[in-house]
Amino acid sequence: MDALLAATRKRAFNLVAQAYDSINVDDLAAFVGMPSSEAAQAVQKEGWDADPQTRFITPRKPCAVVDPVLVTDTWIDCSLIVIWHFL
């Protein structure tokens, strides 16, 4: 159960990093399902910037990750289109 919770929180942090340029620590805490104090500590581990005065977090944007399944499916779809045109 702990592994599921950790994976879900990691995904939530990743989604926040993709969607927000900055977010209030209380809003982040509600989104990831943890107390504000824990969320503030967790963002430091992620290497995000946190301003204690304004209580705003600036997420570090994640590197672009290519999903090999999507690439393969797209390649297959494009290949089938090309083959279809030659028939």
Side-chain angles (χ1 to χ4, degrees):
M1 193 63 150
D2 290 335
L4 178 61
L5 178 62
T8 302
R9 283 190 174 152
K10 183 176 177 94
R11 180 159 166 71
F13 275 104
N14 190 34
L15 290 172
V16 168
Q18 291 176 26
Y20 290 88
D21 290 327
S22 64
I23 185 171
N24 182 283
V25 70
D26 296 324
D27 293 336
L28 173 68
F31 188 74
V32 298
M34 60 176 44
S36 297
S37 58
E38 286 182 33
Q41 292 174 353
V43 298
Q44 291 176 348
K45 292 177 184 174
E46 295 289 326
W48 297 4
D49 295 325
D51 185 348
Q53 298 293 329
T54 62
R55 297 182 44 85
F56 267 85
I57 306 295
T58 304
R60 180 175 287 171
K61 298 293 180 187
C63 298
V65 177
V66 177
D67 187 346
V69 174
L70 293 177
V71 171
T72 303
D73 289 347
T74 303
W75 180 83
I76 290 171
D77 290 344
C78 291
S79 298
L80 291 174
I81 291 169
V82 170
I83 292 169
W84 181 258
H85 284 298
F86 285 107
L87 293 178

